[in-house]
Amino acid sequence: MSTVRLMKMIHRKCRSAFYPRTNDTIARIQISDNQVPWTVECPDYKPTCYTSPHILGQPWADPRIDDPNFQPKWNSIDGSINRKSHTGEYTIKERRPLNPVGRTGLAGRGILGRWGPNHAADPIVTRWKRNNISDPELHPESNKAILQFVAIQRRDTGEWAIPGGMVDPGEVVTATLKREFLEEALNSLEKQPEQLAESKELVNNFFSTGEVVYKGYVDDPRNTDNAWMETVAMNFHDESGTSVGALQLCAGDDAVNVRWMDISKDLPLYASHSDMILKVAEKHNAHW
C-alpha cells in the first residue's frame, strides 16, 4: 500500500449548511457532488467570503489577502512556512489559492490560520485489546483481533478524534506528533517536572519508529474554497501493550476526554479520521 496515496474523495464534511463556530450565522452555498470540481462550470456560484475576525493580526496567522505587504510564495517553502500541498500544485486565482478537491460553498479563510494548505500531524497510537488471559481478543463476527487506538474527545465539537494538531512553522512533523500526543493524551502541560521527564522519555523512545499511513487532504469542516487542512498520519503500534499501551491516559489541552477506543467501521469520528483508522486496521489485519 502506498503511504502517500491520496484519498479519492468528494468532500462532504466541509459542505455543511453553516460554518463551524459561527453560531449558524455564516451559511455555505449548498452544492451537489457533481458541482464540487472546479472543472465543472457553475456560473451562479457566488459564495460568501468569510474570514473570522479573531484570527486577524494573530502572530500564527497570515494577513488579509488584500494586504499589499503580503506576498506569499505559493506552492513553496515560504521562509519557515510550508505552503506546499501533499496533493501537488494547487491553482491560484485572483491572488487566492483554490481548494484542490473543489468547491466548499464558502470562500475566504474561515477560522484557519493560513491561506492554502494548513498542515497538521496525527499520531495513531495502537495496541491490541486483550482478554482475561492477556491474549488479543477476537471479534465474534470477523474472528479477527480487535485493535484499539488512543482517541481524544475534541473540546470544540465534542467528536472523538486522533490526538493531532497543527505543525508549527519550521517544525518537523515527528516533533509535532510527539508534542500533540503528550499534550492531548497525557496532559503534559500540567504534569510535574519529574512526571513530565518520564513521559517524554517513554514517548520519545516509542515514537522513534512509526509508519506513515496517510499524507494528504483532510475533509475538515473548517475548510473553505481558499484554505484547507492537510495532514501526515503515522501509526505507532505497541505490540505487547507494555509500553505506551500501559500508560494511564489523561486528557489535556484541546481534549476534554481520552480513552483507548476499539476500532471498527461504526466509529463516528471527526473529519477524515475514520479513513485513516481504516488504513491502520488494514495494515494490522485487525477487525473492522
Side-chain angles (χ1 to χ4, degrees):
M1 177 180 69
S2 171
T3 58
V4 296
R5 183 182 59 183
L6 296 174
M7 297 175 189
K8 292 183 179 179
M9 65 170 69
I10 294 292
H11 51 203
R12 294 185 173 89
K13 291 197 174 183
C14 65
R15 288 162 51 205
S16 57
F18 296 96
Y19 192 75
R21 305 187 205 176
T22 63
N23 296 320
D24 294 351
T25 60
I26 303 298
R28 294 182 186 269
I29 290 178
Q30 296 302 289
I31 55 175
S32 63
D33 285 355
N34 63 6
Q35 291 174 314
V36 168
W38 296 111
T39 51
V40 175
E41 292 291 331
C42 290
D44 297 329
Y45 181 71
K46 295 176 182 177
T48 297
C49 186
Y50 172 70
T51 297
S52 175
H54 92 271
I55 66 173
L56 298 177
Q58 295 289 346
W60 44 264
D62 285 338
R64 294 171 60 95
I65 200 71
D66 56 2
D67 184 336
N69 296 316
F70 182 46
Q71 299 294 331
K73 297 177 181 178
W74 303 119
N75 291 294
S76 303
I77 301 296
D78 186 6
S80 62
I81 300 169
N82 181 10
R83 299 193 188 278
K84 290 184 175 182
S85 170
H86 297 307
T87 68
E89 192 159 311
Y90 49 87
T91 301
I92 306 300
K93 183 178 181 181
E94 298 174 356
R95 282 181 52 85
R96 290 171 171 79
L98 291 184
N99 187 309
V101 173
R103 299 177 178 92
T104 67
L106 187 74
R109 198 178 0 146
I111 56 177
L112 295 176
R114 305 289 175 197
W115 296 96
N118 288 255
H119 290 284
D122 289 298
I124 305 174
V125 176
T126 55
R127 71 178 186 184
W128 295 110
K129 185 177 186 179
R130 298 187 181 272
N131 58 26
N132 293 335
I133 56 173
S134 297
D135 290 331
E137 184 176 323
L138 303 182
H139 195 278
E141 292 180 6
S142 65
N143 205 35
K144 289 185 175 182
I146 299 171
L147 197 64
Q148 296 181 316
F149 80 105
V150 174
I152 58 109
Q153 189 175 22
R154 291 176 62 99
R155 189 178 302 277
D156 56 353
T157 67
E159 294 173 282
W160 288 91
I162 301 164
M166 305 305 298
V167 179
D168 291 338
E171 185 177 44
V172 295
V173 167
T174 50
T176 308
L177 291 163
K178 287 185 283 190
R179 171 171 55 79
E180 290 296 331
F181 185 76
L182 280 163
E183 290 177 1
E184 296 195 343
L186 299 179
N187 197 17
S188 63
L189 298 178
E190 295 185 18
K191 281 185 179 291
Q192 296 300 317
E194 264 187 34
Q195 294 175 306
L196 179 58
E198 189 177 323
S199 296
K200 276 187 174 180
E201 183 179 6
L202 179 58
V203 168
N204 282 337
N205 291 335
F206 181 69
F207 275 51
S208 61
T209 58
E211 182 178 340
V212 175
V213 292
Y214 179 69
K215 183 188 291 187
Y217 181 88
V218 179
D219 183 10
D220 190 289
R222 296 169 291 183
N223 291 355
T224 70
D225 289 359
N226 310 119
W228 60 91
M229 291 294 303
E230 299 193 11
T231 198
V232 175
M234 291 187 70
N235 178 216
F236 301 92
H237 180 62
D238 185 355
E239 180 66 23
S240 67
T242 58
S243 177
V244 168
L247 280 176
Q248 183 174 355
L249 302 177
C250 182
D253 196 25
D254 295 328
V256 294
N257 202 354
V258 61
R259 67 183 174 95
W260 287 99
M261 182 173 283
D262 293 359
I263 288 177
S264 80
K265 64 178 181 297
D266 301 318
L267 293 181
L269 300 179
Y270 179 79
S272 300
H273 290 194
S274 290
D275 299 302
M276 301 174 204
I277 294 297
L278 168 59
K279 290 178 182 294
V280 172
E282 291 174 340
K283 174 182 181 299
H284 294 284
N285 193 29
H287 168 74
W288 177 256

